[in-house]
């Protein structure tokens, strides 16, 4: 069975809507809820984990163990970092890094032991790829955005790098399919708080669009 890991309630609600899931098909588990679907003769379990690294890892470890998963696909939204790209562009990263695991003042910003390489060779190359950076904090502040950009991170989120890391420990393949929901903006142009609210509103507006694009145009290629 393949697991489809979804972080937020908004991403999961868009998923329920996309697959027309009825109430009696939804089951609870300690990190959120799940439902099953068969697509192209492959059994899939879609589950919400909650946000940030602890929930992402806990939910996925639970599901890997409960359903003996052979592959995990992390589906969801992310921040855009490389400004060549736009909102709603979809990525399948070939590298996932946790960038908040070092003392950056005295250690490298990214340490080799927190990088997971993802072999995408069997899936062709008809998609955007690159490095996704994961940390427990959302990328909102302009200085955080600039630091990620300097370190060649293309997109950023708050779960995927940690999920890829624990999949590797379980010897389970991990594919990350993420769409850009928002870009940080320079807060000096406006009030910090207003700028943050604006980014959250853009995230909320784009979340169903990203999820529909992932399920409609990308999922089948990776199962
Ligand atoms: N900018 C982001 N940075 C990191 N991850 C992002 C970003 N955007 C989307 N994600 C992904 O979506 C989810 C939730 C998004 C989220 O928390 C968020 C989004 C926008 C603004 C704020 C804020 O506080 O102002 C918080 C996370 O689970 C993560 O996997």
């Amino acid at each position: 069975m393949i697991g489809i890991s979804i972080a937020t309630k908004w991403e999961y609600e868009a998923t329920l809507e996309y697959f027309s899931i009825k109430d009696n098909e939804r089951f609870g588990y300690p990190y959120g809820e799940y439902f099953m679907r068969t697509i192209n003769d492959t059994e899939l379990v879609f589950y919400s984990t909650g946000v940030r690294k602890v929930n992402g890892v806990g939910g996925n470890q639970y599901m890997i163990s409960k359903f003996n998963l052979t592959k995990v696909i992390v589906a969801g939204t992310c921040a855009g970092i490389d400004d060549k790209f736009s909102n709603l562009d979809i990525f399948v990263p070939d590298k996932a890094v946790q960038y908040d695991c070092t003392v950056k003042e005295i250690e490298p910003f990214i340490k080799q032991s927190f990088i997971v390489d993802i072999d995408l060779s069997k899936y062709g190359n008809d998609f955007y790829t690159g490095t996704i950076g994961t940390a427990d904090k959302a990328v909102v502040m302009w200085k955080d955005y600039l630091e990620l950009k300097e370190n060649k991170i293309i997109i950023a989120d708050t779960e995927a790098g940690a999920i890829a890391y624990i999949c590797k420990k379980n010897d389970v393949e991990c594919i990350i399919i993420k769409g850009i929901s928002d870009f940080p903006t320079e807060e000096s142009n406006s009030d910090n708080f207003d700028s943050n609210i604006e980014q959250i509103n853009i995230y909320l507006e784009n979340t169903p669009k990203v999820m529909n694009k992932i399920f409609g145009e990308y999922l089948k290629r990776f199962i």
Side-chain angles (χ1 to χ4, degrees):
M1 190 178 301
I2 296 178
I4 314 294
S5 175
I6 295 157
T8 68
K9 82 181 184 79
W10 300 286
E11 292 165 356
Y12 192 69
E13 276 164 10
T15 307
L16 294 172
E17 180 97 354
Y18 183 89
F19 291 101
S20 307
I21 300 301
K22 299 188 198 76
D23 284 352
N24 65 359
E25 296 176 289
R26 299 166 62 174
F27 304 98
Y29 82 113
Y31 291 88
E33 56 171 79
Y34 65 93
F35 69 87
M36 312 283 203
R37 268 288 175 277
T38 300
I39 300 178
N40 291 351
D41 294 328
T42 306
E43 273 193 293
L44 307 175
V45 54
F46 292 76
Y47 47 91
S48 62
T49 61
V51 294
R52 312 307 184 230
K53 295 201 288 182
V54 169
N55 286 313
V57 163
N60 274 280
Q61 183 64 61
Y62 187 101
M63 286 298 180
I64 288 170
S65 304
K66 182 178 171 75
F67 290 110
N68 220 350
L69 302 180
T70 53
K71 189 194 291 193
V72 166
I73 298 178
V74 182
T77 60
C78 61
I81 305 297
D82 185 331
D83 54 20
K84 285 201 293 291
F85 298 98
S86 313
N87 280 341
L88 312 188
D89 281 346
I90 308 288
F91 288 79
V92 186
D94 58 2
K95 207 180 269 279
V97 308
Q98 295 177 68
Y99 65 87
D100 60 351
C101 298
T102 60
V103 181
K104 64 185 181 192
E105 289 75 8
I106 52 170
E107 288 182 289
F109 184 65
I110 293 165
K111 219 175 187 170
Q112 189 58 38
S113 53
F114 293 109
I115 299 178
V116 179
D117 288 307
I118 301 173
D119 179 11
L120 298 171
S121 52
K122 65 179 172 197
Y123 301 107
N125 55 10
D126 182 21
F127 44 77
Y128 293 135
T129 191
T131 301
I132 183 166
T134 296
D136 267 317
K137 196 171 72 171
V139 189
V140 175
M141 304 313 289
W142 192 244
K143 67 173 176 38
D144 294 338
Y145 168 77
L146 292 178
E147 190 168 41
L148 292 179
K149 217 160 117 157
E150 265 166 35
N151 283 281
K152 308 270 178 294
I153 285 175
I154 308 289
I155 52 172
D157 82 339
T158 60
E159 299 85 17
I163 297 171
Y165 184 89
I166 65 107
C167 282
K168 197 172 168 191
K169 290 213 176 282
N170 285 272
D171 202 18
V172 170
E173 183 184 7
C174 182
I175 297 291
I176 299 163
I177 312 179
K178 285 263 168 173
I180 299 177
S181 53
D182 56 280
F183 277 86
T185 50
E186 194 167 5
E187 56 277 336
S188 57
N189 297 333
S190 61
D191 181 68
N192 271 4
F193 190 73
D194 286 350
S195 159
N196 186 212
I197 298 284
E198 194 184 324
Q199 193 179 340
I200 291 173
N201 285 336
I202 293 170
Y203 162 78
L204 292 175
E205 187 186 324
N206 285 333
T207 293
K209 298 180 192 167
V210 164
M211 300 311 283
N212 290 350
K213 200 166 170 187
I214 291 174
F215 296 135
E217 299 174 31
Y218 288 81
L219 184 64
K220 282 190 186 145
R221 283 193 247 167
F222 294 93
I223 60 179

